[in-house]
Amino acid sequence: MNLHRLLDARRAAGKPVRVALIGAGKFGSMFLSQVPHTPGLEVPVIVDLDPQRAKDACRTVGWEEARIAATTFTAVPDKAMSGNIEVIVEATGNPAVGIKHARAAIAAGRHIVMVNVEADVLAGPLLAEEARQAGVVYSLAYGDQPALTSEMVDWARATGFCVVAAGKGTKYLPAYHDVTPEGVWQHYGLTAGEAQSAGMNPQMFNSFLDGTKSAIEMAAIANAAGLDVPTDGLLFPPCGVDDLPHVMRPREAGGVLEKSGVVEVVSSLERDGRPVFRDLRWGVFVVLEAPNDYAADCFKQYGLKTDVSGRYAAMYKPYHLIGLELNISILSAALRHEPTGQPHGFRGDVAAVAKRNLRAGEMLDGEGGYTVWGKLMPAAASLKAGALPIGLAHRVKLKNDVARGAVVRWVDVEVDAGNETIKTRRAMEAAFVLAPEGR
């Protein structure tokens, strides 16, 4: 609760927090919209594949021409690592590129805020450890659901509660796993023309719909918060905020969870497509258990929604504002030397699963595409099965047929063992799993 005061002190001392942004898409643009309204925070360098697009984005979000003229717009990532930059924000969404940028930032002695959760799930535990060894901060991005959920888990544990479940809400039906970019817009109530005119990327939006993004975000939370992953993947139970303590408790207590201490996602739709009452589509939650009768009595006295026993209660945040809230991560890293969540282990992984019967010779097209969706798995189970991580299912050719609903394995694809992203992933597995199997 002191970040603004600390930033104001830096401003008064003439030492603003200087940030380089890599990737000026939607998340990056939302962050940029707040910069002119945050005295003491400066973004002198913006890196994007299309520098002119990045410059146009700054105009769109309200930057004055003088600020734009004073900013370096470039397609060269090395420009972000030089000068007196303190914090690098990686917001490209490309796992391989994100890993490369994170390592370059760490080598240059810069803090790294990883908006790129795809890269974090692929190799984040290793990157975070490398950052710790280098004395810099590797952080999840505040405003995105993994960091917000990790914060709620930390709050619950720091106040003495057992965390039963933590996660987020989303719009989900089982049929969504098979949706492709061609059919995505009908599920958002849009026509293809409307989406195109708004500059919306169908594959990116489909990665949210088909369950891949939920799996990625829950893996990030599991790895950062030390929570377990459901044995057979996410359940996506329909559940509103009032029913969180009832639904999100262990089966032995009457809920849907296989055990306590797991990540999960609740759906804003009933299985027949009807909307859930008081849904949590845009928010995050933590379900906690009272350690004693006195605490349970306090739940009731202070109006918390509980299950019938009064022992399980929930706290939730109904919305997340992604890039509009990113300053919290940046300032926490620069001014407190603390992350807003970071992986400390490898508990959750996301495997590529076939959306349809795939044939040898086909090319996989990654998250939200026509060929695969991402399923959350316990990391040990993923490695034992030899599952191909969703973050590596981009532009790789199948060697074997894969049936619809089956996990794509490393042995099913042509792999370039010399690829730096693959080498980093293998190094992460070796560092965080004692006996990796399935190779």
Side-chain angles (χ1 to χ4, degrees):
M1 290 184 282
N2 293 310
L3 285 177
H4 183 262
R5 179 184 60 81
L6 293 173
L7 179 61
D8 196 50
R10 284 282 297 267
R11 180 199 58 77
K15 298 179 180 179
V17 174
R18 292 169 62 85
V19 181
L21 172 67
I22 305 179
K26 179 62 173 176
F27 199 116
S29 294
M30 292 178 77
F31 159 63
L32 292 172
S33 74
Q34 299 302 100
V35 171
H37 311 289
T38 313
L41 179 69
E42 296 182 357
V43 182
V45 179
I46 299 175
V47 179
D48 196 271
L49 291 174
D50 185 345
Q52 185 58 49
R53 184 190 72 158
K55 187 176 294 188
D56 292 341
C58 288
R59 290 194 176 96
T60 298
V61 302
W63 277 31
E64 296 179 353
E65 289 301 319
R67 184 182 294 271
I68 292 173
T71 302
T72 298
F73 295 88
T74 178
V76 182
D78 288 351
K79 297 284 188 180
M81 315 296 170
S82 59
N84 56 351
I85 299 294
E86 285 186 72
V87 182
I88 307 293
V89 174
E90 214 297 334
T92 66
N94 183 305
V97 170
I99 290 170
K100 182 179 179 180
H101 291 161
R103 281 189 145 164
I106 293 166
R110 270 62 175 180
H111 305 305
I112 178 76
V113 175
M114 187 62 89
V115 176
N116 191 336
V117 69
E118 294 82 3
D120 177 78
V121 169
L122 191 60
L126 181 66
L127 298 176
E129 179 58 28
E130 290 177 354
R132 288 189 287 268
Q133 293 295 326
V136 296
V137 173
Y138 173 100
S139 178
L140 298 179
Y142 200 90
D144 223 350
Q145 287 158 312
L148 296 179
T149 306
S150 296
E151 178 185 52
M152 296 189 78
V153 170
D154 186 64
W155 164 84
R157 288 173 173 162
T159 49
F161 292 110
C162 171
V163 173
V164 177
K168 69 164 195 169
T170 196
K171 181 181 181 181
Y172 171 85
L173 290 173
Y176 289 169
H177 291 309
D178 295 333
V179 176
T180 68
E182 185 177 9
V184 66
W185 299 127
Q186 63 180 303
H187 300 289
Y188 284 101
L190 297 169
T191 67
E194 289 171 337
Q196 184 176 15
S197 65
M200 300 166 72
N201 182 317
Q203 184 159 342
M204 187 272 285
F205 274 83
N206 197 45
S207 72
F208 285 91
L209 189 76
D210 71 8
T212 300
K213 189 68 74 173
S214 289
I216 289 172
E217 292 179 336
M218 292 307 104
I221 293 167
N223 294 337
L227 293 169
D228 287 333
V229 167
T231 300
D232 196 33
L234 295 168
L235 298 173
F236 295 97
C239 184
V241 295
D242 298 330
D243 292 327
L244 283 169
H246 175 75
V247 175
M248 304 304 292
R249 55 182 176 167
R251 291 172 192 153
E252 62 186 26
V256 303
L257 305 178
E258 62 183 270
K259 62 180 180 179
S260 183
V262 297
V263 294
E264 189 54 82
V265 176
V266 295
S267 176
S268 63
L269 295 176
E270 302 286 356
R271 288 298 188 256
D272 62 5
R274 290 179 297 116
V276 165
F277 178 66
R278 280 174 45 81
D279 68 80
L280 194 64
R281 179 178 176 184
W282 308 107
V284 297
F285 71 89
V286 61
V287 173
L288 43 94
E289 183 180 3
N292 50 51
D293 291 339
Y294 183 85
D297 288 342
C298 291
F299 287 170
K300 181 178 180 180
Q301 293 161 8
Y302 286 88
L304 270 73
K305 296 290 185 181
T306 68
D307 72 329
V308 67
S309 75
R311 304 286 299 196
Y312 295 93
M315 295 291 281
Y316 62 91
K317 188 172 185 176
Y319 303 105
H320 69 296
L321 297 177
I322 61 169
L324 298 181
E325 300 181 82
L326 185 61
N327 284 358
I328 302 299
S329 290
I330 292 168
L331 300 181
S332 181
L335 304 177
R336 290 178 174 162
H337 212 74
E338 290 183 353
T340 51
Q342 66 173 206
H344 287 271
F346 183 36
R347 290 171 172 261
D349 198 13
V350 184
V353 174
K355 286 188 173 182
R356 54 175 172 79
N357 291 329
L358 302 175
R359 299 293 177 230
E362 288 193 66
M363 296 290 289
L364 301 183
D365 58 355
E367 301 141 28
Y370 290 84
T371 58
V372 292
W373 61 277
K375 179 179 179 178
L376 182 65
M377 295 180 68
S382 173
L383 296 185
K384 185 175 182 179
L388 179 71
I390 190 69
L392 294 176
H394 296 254
R395 295 182 294 279
V396 292
K397 183 181 289 188
L398 284 173
K399 295 192 298 184
N400 304 316
D401 294 348
V402 182
R404 175 183 176 274
V407 171
V408 182
R409 303 166 300 159
W410 284 92
V411 295
D412 294 321
V413 298
E414 295 180 0
V415 176
D416 176 7
N419 179 280
E420 284 301 318
T421 307
I422 291 175
K423 288 165 65 176
T424 300
R425 165 70 184 203
R426 294 288 177 85
M428 190 272 291
E429 294 174 357
F432 286 88
V433 179
L434 293 178
E437 300 178 46
R439 291 291 181 271

